[in-house]
Amino acid sequence: MRLIPSEPENPVLSRLADHLVPAVGRLTITADDDADLPPAGIIAANHTSLADPAIVLAALHRLGARPVIMATAGLWRVPLLGRALAREGHIPVHRGDPRAPQAIDLAQRALEQGRHILIYAEGGLPDRKDATEAAPGTFRRGLARLAHRTGAPVIPVGQAGARRVTSGSAMKQLAGLATAPLRRPRLHLHVGPPLLLDGDGPAATAQAHLAVTAAWKTAAAQLGEPMAPAA
């Protein structure tokens, strides 16, 4: 896999994730033979747990990418985290708000500056209480719109194992995080080959969903994780 780093101004969150994740799990990374990481592009990952953004950032940091994250605007209200997100130029997504289109504008600007964008196209976490792996949910259209507007390639990423760190009710998530350093569950991230989406409609969204799902299946298979039946 050819790696071309994208240099941010001050990737504190990426470095912090790369230091913290080994304390809670055993992270491994694979990639398809043709999975080049281009100088700039849209990294689309599946979202299964509150733990997986740190896991994805840690893996990407090791691969030479320090992406700009598109994330729900509520995170900017979290003490310390919000300041770090703002300082590093990550992008708040104000869903159902007149400011929502600004996220696409900011992401386009970052791509034009040679950055990677990390996007969770599902737009939220699955409503499940167990720790079982399950395929990515339905994608929102923002990913396809951004790719069509910018011509940027989409790099599909699948991660598995994060639900073994945190999942379920709030109490179970706290317990999982507290015991993870003792359990050190296996975590895996797989990178698929970049693709150019065909348009910005439902077909393009389905194309991206299929690619991320394939990357996730490979990651889950690496761990031998049981998978929930398709909905």
Side-chain angles (χ1 to χ4, degrees):
M1 183 176 183
R2 179 171 56 88
L3 302 177
I4 304 175
S6 173
E7 293 298 334
E9 294 181 0
N10 184 23
V12 172
L13 291 178
S14 291
R15 294 202 314 268
L16 183 62
D18 198 19
H19 282 89
L20 291 179
V21 167
V24 299
R26 295 165 287 161
L27 176 60
T28 51
I29 306 166
T30 55
D32 286 357
D33 291 339
D34 52 350
D36 288 348
L37 194 65
I42 305 166
I43 299 170
N46 64 309
H47 199 13
T48 64
S49 163
L50 290 174
D52 69 61
I55 293 165
V56 172
L57 279 182
L60 292 175
H61 187 264
R62 297 179 193 184
L63 294 176
R66 285 74 166 166
V68 174
I69 307 164
M70 296 182 73
T72 180
L75 294 177
W76 271 252
R77 295 193 294 270
V78 178
L80 298 180
L81 175 60
R83 276 184 283 176
L85 289 166
R87 183 173 59 248
E88 296 185 20
H90 300 292
I91 300 171
V93 180
H94 299 271
R95 295 190 181 92
D97 185 286
R99 294 170 291 177
Q102 295 176 3
I104 297 293
D105 295 336
L106 292 171
Q108 179 179 357
R109 189 180 309 165
L111 288 165
E112 291 170 348
Q113 293 171 349
R115 299 292 303 275
H116 290 103
I117 294 289
L118 173 60
I119 185 170
Y120 288 100
E122 293 161 90
L125 290 168
D127 185 20
R128 293 190 295 112
K129 302 303 181 185
D130 61 278
T132 307
E133 289 292 323
T138 303
F139 277 11
R140 296 174 184 264
R141 288 188 57 193
L143 168 60
R145 286 202 299 266
L146 178 61
H148 180 70
R149 180 167 161 178
T150 62
V154 174
I155 304 115
V157 163
Q159 62 78 28
R163 291 186 66 79
R164 298 293 180 183
V165 180
T166 59
S167 61
S169 66
M171 289 299 294
K172 285 185 177 180
Q173 291 194 49
L174 289 172
L177 190 59
T179 60
L182 299 175
R183 297 181 289 111
R184 302 200 69 243
R186 293 179 62 205
L187 313 167
H188 192 84
L189 181 136
H190 183 79
V191 183
L195 66 152
L196 295 175
L197 299 187
D198 185 15
D200 63 350
T205 298
Q207 182 186 4
H209 184 272
L210 186 64
V212 173
T213 299
W216 162 76
K217 285 182 178 178
T218 301
Q222 288 284 332
L223 300 184
E225 284 283 333
M227 303 182 193

